Amino acid sequence: MDCIFCKIISRQIPASIIYEDDKVLAFNDISPKAPVHVLVIPKTHVDTVDELADMSVVADLFLVMKKIAAEQGIDKSGYRIVVNQGHDAGQAVPHLHFHLLGGRSLLGLSIF
Ligand code: 5GP
Ligand code: ZN
């Protein structure tokens, strides 16, 4: 499949991977908007929230985001989770991904 994030999953494209299990992959955003800017994705390709049928994927992603936030030391200071859905939100990569952002004040941060 010609999907950039699927290629990161299959190691065809390099990325700074910080977490992996059988269902979820997390890696640093190539163009970070905050000191912590991690993309958390399901390893099974889903284009968008709209295409998501198996909602257990959402629980898997949130559990991993909580774990990463604690590991990166932003669980107490706070963080933001963002999903851009479709054209009007500026979704650039059509493989469902959650942005996990933190490490500084995010007030006024526009995504994207
Ligand atoms: P979207 O606008 O679709 O919500 O966000 C896509 C995100 O993917 C952007 O923050 C962008 O910087 C990131 N991104 C795009 N291509 C790559 C890539 O090849 N590697 C990594 N690590 N991040 C990418
Ligand atoms: Zn994909």
Side-chain angles (χ1 to χ4, degrees), residues 4-5 8 13-16 27-33 37 39 82-85 89-95 97 99 111-112:
I4 194 167
F5 287 176
I8 288 175
I13 292 177
S16 169
F27 50 96
N28 291 312
D29 195 293
I30 204 166
S31 178
K33 304 293 187 294
H37 187 172
L39 300 174
V82 175
V83 182
N84 291 317
Q85 159 68 34
Q91 182 179 4
V93 179
H95 180 131
H97 51 283
H99 298 257
I111 303 282
F112 289 114

Side-chain angles (χ1 to χ4, degrees), residues 43-81:
K43 287 171 85 169
T44 301
H45 181 95
V46 180
D47 281 32
T48 62
V49 173
D50 201 46
E51 303 272 313
L52 194 57
D54 177 8
M55 288 301 162
S56 72
V57 168
V58 176
D60 296 335
L61 294 171
F62 265 87
L63 280 170
V64 169
M65 288 189 287
K66 274 181 62 173
K67 190 191 293 257
I68 292 171
E71 279 171 9
Q72 303 267 336
I74 58 170
D75 52 331
K76 302 291 187 289
S77 51
Y79 53 89
R80 182 174 294 163
I81 291 168

Side-chain angles (χ1 to χ4, degrees), residues 85-106:
Q85 159 68 34
H87 176 270
D88 281 2
Q91 182 179 4
V93 179
H95 180 131
L96 178 67
H97 51 283
F98 283 38
H99 298 257
L100 172 64
L101 297 133
R104 69 168 171 87
S105 171
L106 300 171

